[in-house]
Amino acid sequence: MKYRREIDGLRAVAVVPVILFHAGLSLFSGGYVGVDVFFVISGYLITTIIIAERDEGRFSILRFYERRARRILPALFVVMGLCIPFAWMWMPPEPFDDFLRSTAFAALFISNVHFWENVGYFAVDAELRPLLHTWSLAVEEQYYLFFPLLLAGLGAFRRSKHIIAIAVLAALSLGLSEWGWRNYPDQNFFFTFSRMWELFAGSICAFIVFKRPVAPNGPAAALGLGMILYAVFFYDGAVPFPSIYALMPVVGTALVLLFAQQGTMVARLLSTKLPVAIGLVSYSAYLWHQPVFAFARLRSLHEPALWVMLGLALVSFALAALSWRFIEQPFRAGPRKWLPGRPALFGASLAGIAAFVAFGLGGMQLGWSNSRLDGRMTPFFQEMLDSTARSIPTVRCIDSLGPDGNFCTIFKGREGGETIAVFGDSHARAILPAFQQYSEDSGARLVAGIKGGCPPLIGVYILNGNFPLGTCHDLAEAQARFVADNDISTVVLVSRWSLYTKGTYGREGDVFLLNDQPARQSGGRAAGRPIFAKALERTVSHYRDLGVRVIILEQVPQLLITPDEEIFAAMMLRGDSSAARQTLAEAGVPVAWHEDLQSFAREQFDKLEALDGVEVVSVSDAFRDGDMYRWFIDGRSAYSDLDHVSAYGARLLQSRMSEILSGE
């Protein structure tokens, strides 16, 4: 196959945005599409090689897999092997357990299966997974296994037949990805057949130009490059992906492959020394950057400064240059005196795969995640971890109420006391112990109607949440009826409001989206904000019309790293309790970050606060220390995870909650 320098330059366009996106540079908010560019390039190159060798009568499946092994495995094994000691020293138990399993699955080239099985609300944070990026290698390897067999099944090459067959499969795959993001968005991201159409797009390009090169076309090539860059700079976490939105970078890459021949401006640009040099080491750079970033985040116990992450991006390229020169190039050159031939290469490859699988699955079976901590778990650290416990079983359902058991009595109160209803998502459940003192002092009865991931808003549907589409809508309707049918004096609305309006720090995401109809919506979180505002007004109006006092509790600050991870990291990195105590005392989140995260919800609260019978209150001052919100208070953890208070944290709020409910 004739070497095209511009394709190496195109690899640079793919890898640089990916790395800068993962470094946290907001300018590259759509940098993740670089992976899609890689998929199209891979489909094009592999298809070109296979159909050319088949046409010449010299295609060998063994030689094909030998080249793939020489290209992929040596650098991958080195990076995975070097991750192990750092993971052993620095990773808390849960992330380390995830690392063990991902190591085994990455070696088998099915790590995308591991990651789609381990996504969701309580999954290990993506930034702390050193091998997260191997999901794309798994997709490519699965394509390499499947595609030669598909071509063999299609028989002798005929352009129209091959293009139609692959185009049909690509259309089915694209349709699956469009359906997938609407129904299983997290799993869809990693699912092989939701991505296969992108590789097929490269294959179709190879079919088009085989023995009949397309004439260079500068405008078409420029349009293609522009489409890629548009996605890089203007897409963000709110864009459902993969979906039809992926057509932008995929079609753009196809246009560059087809029309950016030498002589066009795009080809000249991509063929300059720097893009080509970056493209040559792009595979190694992609391999190195995620572990470097993940271990830096683990080691620092918080998100490192942007300048640190950009410096580590340069480190990734330096490591890539070394591994390209001393690992990739020698192995790709083929058998030499000191390098194995095909039988030895396959044997060594299988041995390496077996070793990583044994390490990963064996380590899980032997409980290495916790046994590494033997001798380090002092009473101080154990007490810290114990304090992260959630409110359950601190508070229990005394008796179930309502036909569907959606409501529970939490504190019985005394005969003749008022009845307070607490409605909300998991934040409401976490904060229930804060009501205990008031119930005991005043004799108030406390009833809760709570479901995780369901805001207490009448008339909204939650998309891509914890439950089927209508679950939260029906619960809010049931809450409204419950108040109308019972003698309720006060309704307290508690929720992680920002989850439904702003997402999380730096990322909007495509989960827990709102709609006012039982249907999907593609506008993302932005489309859900006006729905939130109307639903909040509707909900408050309903309860006010019933003559009920309405208290809206602003959410507690959201952390950057879970307390248990910081405690384990302090144990592993700081050692003694005094150093760990100092480290934990400094942990927290800037007040300005929290203010920005709940800014939209607070704007809506401010509009309602002037109404009679409506109060908007905050308990965040209990965690404030200057310009930071802390979770390590008086030697214990006030939080159980990133955003839920622990039972201890909820009890810290009892006095404040009594003041709120008593109207002081």
Side-chain angles (χ1 to χ4, degrees), residues 205 208-209 212-217 258-259 261:
C205 291
I208 291 172
V209 301
R212 193 174 64 188
V214 175
N217 188 315
L258 289 173
F259 298 112
Q261 308 289 338

Side-chain angles (χ1 to χ4, degrees), residues 6-327:
E6 64 272 13
I7 292 181
D8 275 327
L10 186 58
R11 285 193 174 108
V13 174
V15 76
V16 170
V18 169
I19 292 176
L20 294 180
F21 168 74
H22 288 153
L25 192 61
S26 59
L27 178 64
F28 291 82
S29 58
Y32 55 84
V33 304
V35 172
D36 307 274
V37 176
F38 273 128
F39 283 157
V40 181
I41 295 173
S42 293
Y44 172 80
L45 294 176
I46 292 303
T47 304
T48 299
I49 291 170
I50 293 176
I51 60 178
E53 291 186 352
R54 287 186 66 196
D55 183 68
E56 296 169 3
R58 58 185 183 88
F59 177 74
S60 164
I61 194 70
L62 288 178
R63 186 166 63 248
F64 173 78
Y65 289 131
E66 177 189 0
R67 283 199 300 262
R68 292 298 89 206
R70 291 183 182 278
R71 171 75 170 107
I72 292 170
L73 295 183
L76 175 63
F77 283 176
V78 168
V79 171
M80 289 174 61
L82 289 176
C83 283
I84 291 174
F86 294 102
W88 186 279
M89 292 186 295
W90 294 347
M91 296 190 81
E94 185 178 355
F96 186 75
D97 208 51
D98 180 85
F99 171 77
L100 289 173
R101 192 170 190 261
S102 64
T103 298
F105 279 53
L108 293 170
F109 291 103
I110 54 172
S111 63
N112 61 320
V113 175
H114 165 74
F115 293 120
W116 90 52
E117 288 179 344
N118 291 272
V119 294
Y121 198 59
F122 294 108
V124 174
D125 200 2
E127 286 82 358
L128 303 181
R129 289 172 144 172
L131 299 180
L132 177 66
H133 61 326
T134 60
W135 75 268
S136 63
L137 300 182
V139 169
E140 287 197 23
E141 282 299 303
Q142 292 158 29
Y143 169 79
Y144 297 152
L145 289 172
F146 160 76
F147 192 67
L149 301 178
L150 175 62
L151 289 185
L154 289 174
F157 179 76
R158 193 165 72 246
R159 198 182 316 274
S160 59
K161 175 182 70 175
H162 279 62
I163 290 176
I164 292 172
I166 300 302
V168 169
L169 293 175
L172 293 173
S173 174
L174 175 58
L176 177 64
S177 72
E178 183 67 15
W179 177 86
W181 82 259
R182 298 172 184 272
N183 295 275
Y184 300 96
D186 291 326
Q187 294 81 359
N188 184 59
F189 186 87
F190 298 108
F191 190 48
T192 303
F193 294 105
S194 294
R195 297 281 186 169
M196 195 67 76
W197 67 275
E198 301 175 17
L199 291 133
F200 284 152
S203 298
I204 292 172
C205 291
F207 295 150
I208 291 172
V209 301
F210 181 62
K211 288 188 173 180
R212 193 174 64 188
V214 175
N217 188 315
L223 174 62
L225 184 59
M227 293 172 71
I228 297 171
L229 296 178
Y230 177 87
V232 166
F233 292 114
F234 292 98
Y235 280 13
D236 57 26
V239 175
F241 221 82
S243 64
I244 59 172
Y245 286 93
L247 285 168
M248 181 70 72
V250 169
V251 172
T253 305
L255 290 174
V256 173
L257 291 172
L258 289 173
F259 298 112
Q261 308 289 338
Q262 287 301 317
T264 63
M265 178 185 66
V266 170
R268 287 195 296 271
L269 178 64
L270 296 177
S271 299
T272 54
K273 288 184 178 181
L274 183 59
V276 170
I278 293 173
L280 288 172
V281 303
S282 59
Y283 173 60
S284 283
Y286 184 75
L287 285 180
W288 280 111
H289 85 281
Q290 179 68 15
V292 168
F293 290 171
F295 288 124
R297 288 178 167 116
L298 284 162
R299 185 66 177 82
S300 64
L301 301 183
H302 55 77
E303 180 66 18
L306 180 58
W307 68 267
V308 173
M309 298 304 292
L310 294 178
L312 292 173
L314 295 177
V315 170
S316 300
F317 280 108
L319 292 171
L322 291 174
S323 59
W324 177 79
R325 173 66 180 83
F326 296 107
I327 300 172

